[in-house]
Structures are given as C-alpha cells and as structure tokens.
C-alpha cells in the first residue's frame, strides 16, 4: 500500500514538473513572437563553428577633419619662369593662385590645392628652380571645432524658429518691436556660425602652399679646351687682349697727369730755348 502511494506521488510530481517547463517555453515563445523577435540561433561559420563577434569601428573614429598647409622656399635663376610653372601645377591639381608678388629677384605667392592632392603637388613644386631651401608641412586637427560649430548651429536654428513663432503671435507694436530686435540678434549670431562652418569646411577641403622664390646667379659656363693649335691661338689672342687692356688702363691712369705736366714741360723747354738764342756769342781775342 505504501509502495503504491509513493509511486502515485512520484508520477504526480513528474507531471507537474513537465507542465511547468511547457508553460515556461510557451511563455517565452509568445513573448518573443509578440515583440517581433525571432529566437536567437547561434550563427555557424564555414567550418560549422559559432561565428566570432567582430566589433565594428566607432562612427567618426577615422573621419577626422584635418586642415593642412605647407611652405616652400626655392632658389632659381629666372624667378618669373618658376612662378609661371607653380601656377600651372596648382591649376593642374584643381586649385588656384591666391596672393602674389613677383619681382625680378624675389617673388612670393600663395597657392590653394585640394587637400587630397597636396602631397603630389608639393613633390612637383619642390623640384622647380635651382634648389630647394626649405620645405614645411603643417597639419591641424579641427574635428572638435567642426563638431562644436555644427551643434551650436543646430541650437541657434531652433532658437531662431522659436523667435519667429513668437513674432507671428505678437499683437501689440511693442511686442513686435521687441521680438524683431531679438530675432535680428539671433539671426546675426546664426550667420556668424554659418561663416565659421564654411571657413572650417574650406580649410579642410583645400590646402594652402606659401612659396617664396629667390634669384641666384647663373652657374659659370664650362671651361673651354685650350689644347692644340686652335687652343693656343685662342689663348694667345686672350693674352694679347689682356695685355692691350692693361696698357690702355695704364694710359688712362696717367692721362690726367700728362694733360697738366705736358704743357708745363713744353713751356719750360720753349723758354729755355729762347733764352739760349738771345744770349750773345763770345768774341774771339
């Protein structure tokens, strides 16, 4: 009798446990279905193993806003030619020329090129002229400034819209004047922020290159070969020209003295001759 009672209790407990598990599964399934979410199924890789979870890069982690600028100092025998070549390189890269001051011996100019083509343009500009004196490259991260200006723009636009809504509901002249004054002030602040945003966008999109070109003397011509008869003839002619040039130089140096001393010497000689001619000859005894 006791054995049958224990068996009945065991069967009842098992039935209750099975009923509880079924209710839990049905409740979980109904909750997932009502939320529109399918039950999670582990993904299988190509080898039948669960696929490893890869964390994607955060948005904006690599999208940095960089403002780039460069400076070049060159020397050249013809400054004007180098300036013209620099203009061509900037225009070929899709840029333009800014301020420019060109003289015969010195020139300065500012070039603007797309930021993604700055490195290639710098390589071409560095090979202009006779030699490269200095090359500087500066990079400034303006990401935080761009984000800050964008956030302030969004807030300022909402503020302007609220003031416009108040202006539409104003009834008295005093209210209209007060609201219009506030609207003008906030629209001015909005325009200032838009200018800051455009300036930052321009500095990121276009890089600037400041160039200075200084003139240097042309290199001496290569020495000529003076060997052989023609070489000796050319050397003798050069020596003759050098000797003649030296003689002419000496004559030019003493010419002023000859102009003064020569007439005095001639006058002295002439007076001495007259004196001898006027002196009586001695008589013989």
């Amino acid at each position: 009798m006791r054995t049958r009672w224990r068996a009945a209790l065991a069967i009842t407990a098992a039935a209750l446990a099975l009923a509880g598990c079924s209710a839990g599964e049905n409740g979980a399934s109904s909750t997932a279905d009502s939320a529109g979410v399918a039950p999670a199924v582990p993904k299988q890789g190509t080898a039948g193993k669960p696929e490893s979870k890869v964390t994607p890069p955060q948005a904006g982690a690599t999208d940095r806003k960089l403002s780039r600028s460069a400076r070049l100092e060159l020397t050249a025998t013809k400054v004007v030619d180098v300036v013209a070549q620099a203009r061509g390189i900037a225009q070929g890269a899709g840029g333009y020329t800014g301020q420019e001051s060109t003289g015969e011996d010195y020139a300065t100019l500012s070039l603007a090129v797309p930021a993604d083509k700055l490195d290639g343009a710098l390589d071409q500009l560095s090979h202009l002229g006779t030699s490269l004196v200095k090359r500087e490259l500066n990079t400034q991260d303006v990401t935080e400034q761009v984000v800050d200006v964008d956030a302030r723009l969004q807030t300022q636009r909402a503020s302007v819209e609220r003031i416009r809504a108040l202006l539409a509901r104003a009834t008295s002249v005093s209210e209209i004047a007060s609201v219009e004054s506030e609207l003008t002030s906030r629209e001015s602040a909005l325009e200032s922020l838009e200018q800051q945003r455009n300036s930052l966008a321009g500095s990121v999109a276009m890089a600037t290159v400041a160039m200075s070109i200084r003139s240097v003397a042309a290199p001496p011509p290569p020495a000529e070969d003076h060997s052989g008869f023609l070489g000796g003839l050319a050397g003798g002619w050069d020596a003759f020209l050098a000797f003649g040039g030296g003689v002419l130089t000496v004559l030019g140096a003493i010419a002023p003295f000859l102009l003064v001393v020569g007439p005095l010497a001639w006058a002295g000689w002439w007076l001495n001759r007259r004196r001898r001619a006027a002196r009586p000859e001695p008589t013989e005894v």
Side-chain angles (χ1 to χ4, degrees), residues 15-37:
L16 292 174
L18 289 175
C21 292
S22 300
E25 292 177 357
N26 292 334
S29 300
S30 61
T31 303
D33 294 339
S34 61
V37 180

Side-chain angles (χ1 to χ4, degrees), residues 196-252:
Q196 293 182 31
R197 193 265 313 271
N198 295 336
S199 177
L200 287 172
S203 66
V204 172
M206 301 294 290
T208 58
V209 181
M211 292 187 62
S212 61
I213 305 126
R214 178 171 50 86
S215 175
V216 293
E224 298 180 357
D225 186 10
H226 294 287
S227 60
F229 173 77
L230 294 178
L233 181 61
W237 178 253
D238 292 339
F240 174 75
L241 292 178
F243 174 77
V247 172
L248 292 177
T249 302
V250 172
L251 291 177

Side-chain angles (χ1 to χ4, degrees), residues 9-55:
L9 290 175
I11 293 172
T12 303
L16 292 174
L18 289 175
C21 292
S22 300
E25 292 177 357
N26 292 334
S29 300
S30 61
T31 303
D33 294 339
S34 61
V37 180
V41 179
K43 296 182 180 180
Q44 299 294 327
T46 56
K49 297 180 181 180
E51 185 178 358
S52 60
K53 183 178 180 181
V54 178
T55 303

Side-chain angles (χ1 to χ4, degrees), residues 3 31 51 65 72 90 99-100 118 157 186 235 248:
T3 303
T31 303
E51 185 178 358
K65 305 297 182 182
L72 293 177
Q99 295 182 351
E100 178 181 334
L118 176 61
R157 289 195 183 103
R186 299 197 182 191
L248 292 177

Side-chain angles (χ1 to χ4, degrees), residues 105-280:
D105 298 328
Y106 189 75
T108 59
L109 70 158
S110 176
L111 306 175
V113 296
D116 57 346
K117 297 182 180 180
L118 176 61
D119 295 330
L122 278 180
D123 291 339
Q124 297 181 46
L125 293 171
S126 299
H127 290 86
L128 298 179
T130 305
S131 62
L132 173 65
V133 178
K134 182 184 293 186
R135 172 173 172 170
E136 296 179 356
L137 180 62
N138 299 318
T139 302
Q140 183 180 4
D141 191 346
V142 295
T143 307
E144 295 182 359
Q145 299 180 33
V146 172
V147 172
D148 178 65
V149 171
D150 287 342
R152 292 167 60 189
L153 267 174
Q154 184 176 359
T155 303
Q156 193 66 22
R157 289 195 183 103
S159 175
V160 169
E161 292 300 327
R162 288 195 299 269
I163 297 299
R164 288 175 179 171
L166 290 176
L167 180 61
R169 294 195 299 268
T171 56
S172 64
V173 176
S174 60
E175 289 180 353
I176 293 175
S178 177
V179 175
E180 284 183 344
S181 176
E182 184 64 23
L183 179 61
T184 302
S185 176
R186 299 197 182 191
E187 285 179 343
S188 177
L190 178 61
E191 292 177 359
S192 177
L193 288 173
E194 288 176 345
Q195 291 177 0
Q196 293 182 31
R197 193 265 313 271
N198 295 336
S199 177
L200 287 172
S203 66
V204 172
M206 301 294 290
T208 58
V209 181
M211 292 187 62
S212 61
I213 305 126
R214 178 171 50 86
S215 175
V216 293
E224 298 180 357
D225 186 10
H226 294 287
S227 60
F229 173 77
L230 294 178
L233 181 61
W237 178 253
D238 292 339
F240 174 75
L241 292 178
F243 174 77
V247 172
L248 292 177
T249 302
V250 172
L251 291 177
I254 65 176
F257 299 95
L258 294 176
L259 292 176
V260 176
V261 177
L264 294 176
W266 181 84
W269 174 81
W270 183 78
L271 290 175
N272 187 27
R273 184 178 180 184
R274 288 285 304 271
R275 191 177 298 120
R276 287 182 179 180
R279 182 182 303 173

Side-chain angles (χ1 to χ4, degrees), residues 66-77:
L66 304 178
S67 176
R68 307 181 69 193
S69 62
R71 179 174 180 81
L72 293 177
E73 293 184 13
L74 306 173
T75 59
T77 55

